[in-house]
């Protein structure tokens, strides 16, 4: 018998004698004769090439590691979250380091540890920015948090992220509005606030003339 070659993150171990199932019993939600066993997360090595600083819709500035592409659990990973300044200092993460990465919860890539024994002396220590990488506003670190924030309500990055979140599945679930389209519409000037989503029909003819926005793409959005 041939088995499909596919990545799995665990198995379910069951008592194979079905006559014993009722004897062993059940809880309110699951059978007692079966248990899930999770495999240890796969870890791979790669090099941290650089660090980018991303601004979220709340103004939170998060450092993100730019990695040499590496295959991990069925996908190619090119970046990993660095969380905050304290996380970077605790692990002593530097640009140029060889790092071990895994997927937290089998989804989000994260750095497990730095292979300090493989350092050459050319690695560069990371330093948190003093100013927002987008608008230049001085960043503020709140006393109760480890993160830094851009406090400029007109920061383009904050506004774009807020618009992306509004259209996302976790919010209004607006079909046809991916991150790229939201950013393009923002830069064009047609989507600057949430209310503008409901006025895009006014620009239908102009948008259809843009490269990559044919009639099929435009009609895919329910607000046209």
């Amino acid at each position: 018998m041939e088995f499909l070659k596919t990545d799995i993150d665990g198995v379910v171990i069951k008592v194979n004698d079905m006559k014993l199932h009722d004897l062993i019993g059940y809880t309110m939600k699951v059978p007692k004769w079966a248990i899930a066993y999770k495999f240890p997360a796969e870890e791979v090595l790669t090099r941290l090439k650089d660090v980018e600083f991303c601004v979220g819709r709340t103004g939170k500035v998060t450092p993100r590691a730019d990695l040499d592409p590496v295959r991990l659990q069925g996908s190619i990973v090119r970046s990993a979250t660095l969380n905050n300044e304290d996380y970077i200092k605790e692990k002593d993460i530097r640009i140029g380091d060889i790092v071990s990465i895994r997927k937290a919860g089998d989804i989000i890539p994260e750095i497990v540890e730095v292979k300090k024994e493989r350092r050459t002396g050319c690695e560069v220590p990371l330093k948190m920015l003093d100013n927002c990488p987008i608008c230049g506003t001085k960043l503020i670190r709140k006393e109760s948090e480890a993160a830094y924030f851009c406090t400029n309500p007109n920061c383009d990055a904050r506004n774009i992220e807020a618009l992306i979140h509004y259209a996302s599945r976790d919010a209004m679930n607006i079909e046809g509005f991916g991150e790229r389209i939201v950013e393009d519409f923002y830069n064009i000037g047609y989507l600057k606030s949430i209310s503008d989503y409901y006025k895009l029909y006014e620009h239908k003819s102009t948008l259809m003339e843009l490269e990559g926005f044919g009639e099929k793409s435009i009609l895919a959005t329910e607000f046209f």
Side-chain angles (χ1 to χ4, degrees), residues 2-158:
E2 290 190 13
F3 292 92
L4 294 175
K5 294 182 179 180
T6 183
D7 291 324
I8 60 174
D9 60 3
V11 295
V12 175
I13 302 172
K14 300 180 181 180
V15 174
N16 63 1
D17 187 344
M18 296 182 66
K19 296 178 181 178
L20 296 176
H21 289 184
D22 288 339
L23 180 62
I24 297 172
Y26 302 78
T27 68
M28 289 292 292
K29 295 183 178 180
V30 298
K32 294 181 179 180
W33 43 265
I35 187 171
Y37 176 78
K38 195 87 167 178
F39 296 149
E42 178 187 358
E43 294 185 17
V44 296
L45 297 181
T46 187
R47 184 183 300 276
L48 194 160
K49 299 189 299 181
D50 202 354
V51 173
E52 298 178 359
F53 292 87
C54 306
V55 184
R57 61 189 174 88
T58 63
K60 181 179 178 180
V61 178
T62 304
R64 182 177 64 191
D66 181 13
L67 307 170
D68 278 338
V70 63
R71 189 168 189 82
L72 176 61
Q73 290 186 239
S75 65
I76 301 298
V77 174
R78 293 181 171 83
S79 62
T81 179
L82 292 176
N83 296 317
N84 53 55
E85 185 180 40
D86 292 349
Y87 177 88
I88 292 172
K89 289 181 178 179
E90 178 184 348
K91 294 185 179 291
D92 189 21
I93 300 172
R94 304 180 184 184
I95 295 174
D97 272 334
I98 299 298
V99 295
S100 172
I101 65 170
R102 68 184 176 195
K103 288 185 178 180
D106 296 319
I107 299 174
I108 303 174
E110 66 175 1
I111 292 178
V112 180
E113 65 174 340
V114 174
K115 299 300 181 181
K116 298 180 181 179
E117 69 277 7
R118 298 185 60 172
R119 282 180 172 168
T120 64
C122 297
E123 293 75 18
V124 180
L126 299 182
K127 184 180 182 300
M128 194 64 192
L129 297 179
D130 294 322
N131 300 89
C132 174
I134 304 301
C135 69
T137 299
K138 185 173 179 59
L139 300 180
I140 303 298
R141 178 170 176 171
K142 299 179 180 179
E143 293 184 3
S144 60
E145 299 189 37
Y148 284 79
F149 290 83
C150 171
T151 57
N152 177 12
N154 297 316
C155 176
D156 286 334
R158 291 187 61 180

